[in-house]
Amino acid sequence: MARVAVHMDEVMEKDREIYARPVVAMFVLIFGSILLVISMFLALAYGAADVSLATIKEAIFNYDATNSNHQVIRDLRFPRIIGAALVGSSFAVAGAIMQGMTRNPLADSGLLGINAGAVLVMAISFAFFPSLPYHYLILFSFFGAAISAGLVYGVGSLARGGLTPLRLILSGTAVSALFSALSEGIALHFRVGQDLAFWYAGGVAGTTWAQLQVMVPIVVIMIIGAIILSKSVTLLSLGDDVAAGLGMNTTVVKVTGTIIVLMLAGSAVSVVGAVGFVGLIVPHLTRYIVGVDYRFIIPCSAVIGAVLLVLADLVARTINAPYETPIGALIALIGVPFFLYLARKERREL
């Protein structure tokens, strides 16, 4: 590993301005963290019922169980805001790792069918195990994400010429369509459509402290693991031959990265549902700002993804109050044009 680090540093020195912008990355982390805190306070204060900052302070430090505003802040808004931040970070980091490992600029857990696989298994859980505790539900979500990922990569690799960005996206679209149709069929037959509607639309309204107790350790550990793996992801982004030539075990790195992606995407889907495009947009934006060194892309993507989902949840609650607009629809308004732009930009490779 020491030899890999030395060679990687030599590669990075070829064009330090392009490959790494550590000062800019530090600024993004600091400014992004401040913006995240501000966004969370705004999300606490505004919604169907606006709450003053003084009331928020009282609810945090002097909680009164008989005060309805305190109950709204402590039991409803706080868990959903923390959940939104964790989900945003999870999808963003998962997308960054996928794009780095596959060298596919269109890689995203939603586009590659991972989200649809998690939702399918959750539909099966609602149909056959309606009272399943959340910690089992999140395990089923991981299982569904893994099945979907295996199918996507397997189908995409069957064609002559191997796995290309186009085949990866097409196989992901096909698997997503299949799993979505199966989910809808299960919802209709077993009459669990109302339970699944939330996961189809996407939202953090139902997030509870019990869910966060399970989700927080998983997401934190996986993001730390992603940061530790970031140097190897940077080497993979230069090409498998380059990485192997520098002495890196590409198989171990890819397996580890895939496990991290499945854990992050599965835990996020179990809370927010099938929200797409976060893992597509955020890594590209981060890469444009801080360069292509994943030692900076991954932590910065985690912060930017958290800010994006917290603000999206705030807009979802206020744009048509007291009704909520699905977060998935809001993100798609940005994500679909961005995807079409990337597809057009990469048309030669596709």
Side-chain angles (χ1 to χ4, degrees), residues 3 44 50 63-64 78 98 112 115 119 121 124 127 152 163 165 210 227 236 266 273 275 281-282 309 319 345:
R3 187 163 66 90
L44 282 173
D50 295 342
Y63 179 69
D64 181 4
F78 240 127
M98 293 173 69
L112 298 187
N115 295 357
V119 172
V121 175
I124 296 173
V152 169
L163 193 65
I227 293 173
L236 278 178
V275 174
I281 299 171
V282 174
L309 257 293
I319 194 173
K345 183 179 178 181

Side-chain angles (χ1 to χ4, degrees), residues 8 47 49 62 70 72 102 111 119 140 160 166-167 182 185 189 193 200 228 239 252 256 279 290 303 307 333 348:
M8 181 179 177
N62 298 295
H70 288 197
V72 168
T102 64
L111 295 175
V119 172
F140 279 127
R160 184 181 302 174
L166 175 60
R167 293 186 182 123
L182 291 175
H189 183 75
Y200 285 135
I228 295 173
V252 171
T256 304
V290 305
V303 174
V307 173
L333 290 176
R348 293 181 181 177

Side-chain angles (χ1 to χ4, degrees), residues 11-332:
V11 172
M12 294 302 176
E13 287 296 335
K14 291 181 179 180
D15 196 338
R16 176 63 63 179
E17 182 180 355
I18 294 178
Y19 279 95
R21 302 180 187 132
V23 176
V24 177
M26 186 61 64
F27 174 79
V28 170
L29 288 174
I30 295 173
F31 179 76
S33 299
I34 295 173
L35 182 59
L36 177 60
V37 172
I38 294 173
S39 301
M40 294 177 79
F41 270 103
L42 290 175
L44 282 173
Y46 296 101
D50 295 342
V51 180
S52 66
L53 293 179
T55 304
I56 294 174
K57 181 179 178 181
E58 286 292 320
I60 295 173
F61 298 105
N62 298 295
Y63 179 69
D64 181 4
T66 62
N67 189 316
S68 60
N69 286 332
H70 288 197
Q71 292 175 3
V72 168
I73 292 170
R74 179 72 71 90
D75 299 328
L76 297 179
R77 291 189 182 176
F78 240 127
R80 73 179 293 168
I81 291 168
I82 296 174
L86 291 173
V87 166
S89 295
S90 298
F91 279 135
V93 172
I97 294 176
M98 293 173 69
Q99 291 174 17
M101 290 196 310
T102 64
R103 302 183 69 195
N104 183 354
L106 301 178
D108 169 68
S109 61
L111 295 175
L112 298 187
I114 294 176
N115 295 357
V119 172
L120 172 61
V121 175
M122 291 173 69
I124 296 173
S125 301
F126 289 143
F128 294 99
F129 312 102
S131 301
L132 198 67
Y134 176 72
H135 59 276
Y136 287 112
L137 190 63
I138 199 171
L139 289 176
F140 279 127
S141 183
F142 296 149
F143 182 65
I147 292 176
S148 181
L151 280 176
V152 169
Y153 280 92
V155 172
S157 301
L158 291 177
R160 184 181 302 174
L163 193 65
T164 65
L166 175 60
R167 293 186 182 123
L168 194 62
I169 295 300
L170 291 177
S171 61
T173 302
V175 170
S176 293
L178 172 62
F179 283 2
S180 296
L182 291 175
S183 300
E184 293 173 3
I186 292 172
L188 290 173
H189 183 75
F190 292 95
R191 299 182 180 179
V192 292
Q194 189 67 31
D195 296 325
L196 279 177
F198 170 80
W199 273 270
Y200 285 135
V204 290
T207 307
T208 64
W209 289 114
Q211 290 176 324
L212 292 179
Q213 288 177 355
V214 178
M215 183 184 181
V216 169
I218 295 173
V219 172
V220 171
I221 292 172
M222 291 301 106
I223 290 179
I224 292 174
I227 293 173
I228 295 173
L229 195 69
S230 60
K231 182 176 289 189
S232 298
V233 175
T234 303
L235 282 177
L236 278 178
S237 70
L238 301 176
D240 287 5
D241 293 338
V242 174
L246 295 177
M248 189 182 76
N249 190 328
T250 58
T251 302
V252 171
V253 173
K254 287 183 177 181
V255 170
T256 304
T258 300
I259 292 173
I260 292 175
V261 168
L262 295 179
M263 295 287 279
L264 289 174
S267 59
V269 170
S270 70
V271 171
V272 75
V275 174
F277 298 109
V278 177
L280 177 71
I281 299 171
V282 174
H284 276 280
L285 175 62
T286 306
R287 194 179 299 111
Y288 177 78
I289 297 173
V290 305
V292 297
D293 189 342
Y294 281 82
R295 291 176 295 181
F296 305 125
I297 291 175
I298 288 176
C300 290
S301 293
V303 174
I304 295 175
V307 173
L308 174 63
L309 257 293
V310 170
L311 290 177
D313 179 53
L314 175 60
V315 173
R317 287 189 282 119
T318 56
I319 194 173
N320 189 32
Y323 305 102
E324 292 199 17
T325 303
I327 290 181
L330 293 177
I331 300 297

